[in-house]
Amino acid sequence: MVAWTAPAGVAGDDRLWRVRPFDVRQGGQTCPQRRAVGMRPALRVESEVLPVRQAGATTALGKVLDYVEHDGYSVGEALQHWQRHADRSPPPMLVGWVAKAVRHYLSASAGIAWGQALPDESELTPVSRNWGRRRQFDVGDGGEVTHEEVVSGRRFEGSGVRELRLLRTRSVRDRARDEAEIALVAGVVASAGVVLSGMWEKRPLALRSAPGPHRVRVVEIGCSDGSYNVLFEGTTQQAHEKYRRDAEPAVVDAASGIGYLPGPDCGGCDLIGLCPAVPVRPGLLGVDGSSLPRRSWSLSSGRSFDECPARLVAERLFLPRERTAEDSDYTRRGQAVHAWLEDLHRREPARTCATDEIPPTPDEWSAGRWSVAGEQARLGVQMIADHTLTCALRGPAGHVEAHPELPVVVFDSKANVVVVAKMDLLYRSGDVWSVRETKTVSALDESDLLTQFPQLALAVVLSAEDGIQAGERVRVELERLSASGPVTGELDVDDPEVVAAARTVVRARAEAWHASPSLTAKPGKVCTTCPFNQWCPESKA
């Protein structure tokens, strides 16, 4: 049974469902309510602050491949045609990635075709329309929903075989399988008709029946390097069985989502301004932009803008990044220390970090995806050991509550910006809530802490605006771990001068980005450490 009620401010027909593979992915940080609303295309959100939609990188690649596979263009002709006839001029960074991705895709496709054996030795032919299907679904309250499922990708068929090639932006060499997503794709491909209308229609899709296949193949292609994986290959009966086993429970779960999970994706959500988990705080950034399209901002996106505005384009398109270009030894050590402490702070029940919980091999160790060796590894171990002297999570069981790496999202309606922050540690000791920002530094610097650590300034402003823990006064603390030992301190969030200084820092970080919606490249020395320079035609690296 699906028990779901549209949130306040959302109206329309909630009995039309349209499910896409990403709706059933497992293990991510997807907001349940946003996903449930998104699966119901006939709903409308009564909001005046809807976000600007931006097509993804694989959408652009798909348009180029349409010219190649359906119109017979060469790769060069297809790229030129796409750029010439796009609704708006594609960003150079996207052009650079698509130019390489189309060739990687075609190389992988040749390998897939060589490896498959059709009964009559014929070749699969491309299908120009998307595949989708429609069923009636009993929701258990005496009513039914119109349940549509659609898949996109590169479609091929022939000799009783249907094959869907899923485009992935990054390499798929080590990509984890998602059985629910695979099952939904396989089930749809096994019994789909042809979609004649747009995939985002707010009314039921126009579908045309098509002869069904005997066998189904689902392949994913990593368009950054030409890697590929066969995710499913079997009969239509096997595809339907996998759907019932792995996809159907995930569809019901996704359609029933009622909780809210604020995070980095909130910037593109239609519920902003209505969402009870994202408070509205006009004037938080200190800039005015009510006439501009709604955007999202974080300190990391502001830092990327300062280095090169085009980096933001690559980040928002989720283009693959070469992390070794941007990660210095100091960066890796700092991230490894943070990851180690995060793991300790996630334990339940929360408890203080102990001296015997440091890395066991000081000369080489890892935490999360970060590995360190030599001098930086030893310094990192010292910092973790020093942290045990100042750990915030002291107190008897039940007295302390911890939320490490907590996303905090606030909507500044005056700037028309969704502000996304991440607290190193939000914790409760007794009845008192605090934010603890932890910084690893080679040497202590006693100059202005708010300027040195803008995360601290943003935490002060969010606390002053009641944007961290609604209705609670939240203290802001700084813990510095250095070669000379740990130092902790607190900033007085009730001091008007401290809050004013913090607002000045935050405004300075946001205003240049806010005033420049055009994200053009700024080539120079920063290109040598840019993780996207392989895609950037203007790179000086």
Side-chain angles (χ1 to χ4, degrees):
M1 179 174 179
V2 177
W4 186 85
T5 302
V10 177
D13 181 9
D14 65 357
R15 295 299 177 101
L16 172 62
W17 296 3
R18 186 167 303 139
V19 187
R20 297 140 298 185
F22 58 77
D23 289 320
V24 299
R25 285 178 186 162
Q26 306 297 295
Q29 294 296 309
T30 302
C31 174
Q33 189 68 273
R34 180 186 181 186
R35 181 167 59 179
V37 171
M39 287 173 56
R40 295 167 166 87
L43 293 179
R44 63 183 183 278
V45 178
E46 298 171 351
S47 172
E48 297 179 358
V49 292
L50 298 180
V52 174
R53 303 298 183 192
Q54 178 173 295
T58 54
T59 300
L61 174 60
K63 292 181 179 180
V64 174
L65 290 173
D66 283 343
Y67 297 134
V68 174
E69 293 175 342
H70 303 308
D71 299 326
Y73 286 28
S74 68
V75 170
E77 292 170 338
L79 289 167
Q80 290 179 1
H81 195 77
W82 164 60
Q83 294 179 70
R84 190 179 304 123
H85 296 283
D87 293 337
R88 62 183 67 178
S89 180
M93 196 85 79
L94 177 60
V95 174
W97 180 81
V98 170
K100 295 180 180 180
V102 65
R103 292 176 172 86
H104 289 313
Y105 165 84
L106 293 173
S107 174
S109 293
I112 294 168
W114 180 261
Q116 68 189 6
L118 296 182
D120 57 1
E121 298 184 356
S122 62
E123 294 184 355
L124 295 177
T125 58
V127 177
S128 62
R129 295 279 191 169
N130 285 311
W131 284 325
R133 66 177 180 177
R134 181 184 299 119
R135 298 179 296 154
Q136 298 301 119
F137 192 98
D138 183 0
V139 292
D141 61 357
E144 289 186 336
V145 299
T146 300
H147 178 202
E148 299 177 339
E149 294 172 325
V150 292
V151 294
S152 57
R154 310 311 300 171
R155 302 155 301 278
F156 293 83
E157 64 182 6
S159 300
V161 175
R162 273 188 186 171
E163 179 174 286
L164 183 70
R165 300 173 188 171
L166 300 171
L167 305 179
R168 310 294 195 193
T169 310
R170 298 175 175 84
S171 173
V172 299
R173 294 186 192 281
D174 300 312
R175 193 176 194 274
R177 290 172 58 92
D178 188 307
E179 297 302 335
E181 179 184 19
I182 295 168
L184 187 132
V185 172
V188 174
V189 173
S191 59
V194 176
V195 180
L196 302 179
S197 53
M199 295 272 275
W200 304 101
E201 292 282 342
K202 293 187 175 296
R203 56 181 181 273
L205 296 173
L207 296 173
R208 186 188 71 211
S209 61
H214 302 300
R215 293 189 64 80
V216 170
R217 272 169 57 98
V218 179
V219 185
E220 63 178 356
I221 296 178
C223 297
S224 292
D225 62 359
S227 55
Y228 66 88
N229 298 317
V230 177
L231 301 176
F232 177 86
E233 183 167 13
T235 64
T236 53
Q237 179 62 30
Q238 290 170 327
H240 292 314
E241 289 172 355
K242 183 169 180 61
Y243 177 92
R244 284 191 293 271
R245 181 178 65 251
D246 295 332
E248 198 161 271
V251 170
V252 173
D253 182 63
S256 307
I258 56 174
Y260 295 89
L261 187 63
D265 294 337
C266 287
C269 180
D270 291 346
L271 297 177
I272 288 295
L274 304 171
C275 177
V278 178
V280 179
R281 298 293 184 266
L284 184 141
L285 292 179
V287 294
D288 189 354
S290 56
S291 63
L292 295 172
R294 198 185 88 201
R295 295 175 286 166
S296 62
W297 177 87
S298 66
L299 283 169
S300 61
S301 64
R303 186 165 53 248
S304 292
F305 175 86
D306 291 341
E307 292 181 355
C308 177
R311 278 188 61 163
L312 283 181
V313 176
E315 290 172 357
R316 291 172 181 173
L317 291 169
F318 299 102
L319 297 184
R321 59 197 305 154
E322 180 54 59
R323 294 193 179 274
T324 56
E326 60 179 338
D327 295 338
S328 68
D329 291 343
Y330 304 101
T331 301
R332 283 190 289 273
R333 181 251 295 150
Q335 295 286 4
V337 170
H338 270 82
W340 191 276
L341 296 180
E342 179 186 350
D343 286 343
L344 293 178
H345 292 162
R346 286 196 184 280
R347 296 173 299 183
E348 294 183 0
R351 59 188 186 274
T352 189
C353 300
T355 54
D356 60 352
E357 294 173 326
I358 63 175
T361 54
D363 291 324
E364 186 174 0
W365 54 277
S366 62
R369 67 178 182 86
W370 303 97
S371 298
V372 284
E375 178 183 355
Q376 295 301 324
R378 292 187 291 273
L379 178 56
V381 170
Q382 176 193 314
M383 290 175 169
I384 293 171
D386 286 345
H387 166 78
T388 66
L389 303 174
T390 57
C391 181
L393 305 183
R394 300 182 181 277
H399 185 77
V400 175
E401 178 182 338
H403 302 277
E405 299 299 320
L406 179 76
V408 173
V409 182
V410 174
F411 177 50
D412 182 344
S413 54
K414 184 176 182 181
N416 206 15
V417 171
V418 177
V419 179
V420 181
K422 183 177 282 189
M423 307 289 110
D424 283 350
L425 178 66
L426 173 68
Y427 72 97
R428 177 186 58 79
S429 180
D431 296 326
V432 179
W433 285 95
S434 304
V435 165
R436 171 74 66 94
E437 288 292 322
T438 300
K439 303 301 174 188
T440 60
V441 294
S442 298
L444 294 174
D445 180 353
E446 298 305 331
S447 63
D448 182 38
L449 295 176
L450 294 173
T451 302
Q452 281 188 65
F453 307 113
Q455 298 91 340
L456 202 62
L458 183 56
V460 169
V461 174
L462 287 169
S463 177
E465 292 281 351
D466 190 27
I468 299 177
Q469 192 75 4
E472 298 282 352
R473 179 186 183 274
V474 180
R475 300 166 54 195
V476 175
E477 303 169 343
L478 173 64
E479 175 181 359
R480 289 179 288 171
L481 303 174
S482 73
S484 58
V487 177
T488 60
E490 179 182 349
L491 284 86
D492 187 355
V493 296
D494 294 323
D495 185 334
E497 291 187 3
V498 172
V499 175
R503 291 187 188 279
T504 298
V505 171
V506 171
R507 182 173 62 251
R509 289 280 175 167
E511 60 187 355
W513 164 84
H514 190 264
S516 304
S518 176
L519 302 177
T520 56
K522 190 171 66 178
K525 290 183 179 179
V526 294
C527 294
T528 59
T529 57
C530 177
F532 304 109
N533 60 36
Q534 61 181 317
W535 316 121
C536 183
E538 300 179 58
S539 173
K540 300 296 184 183

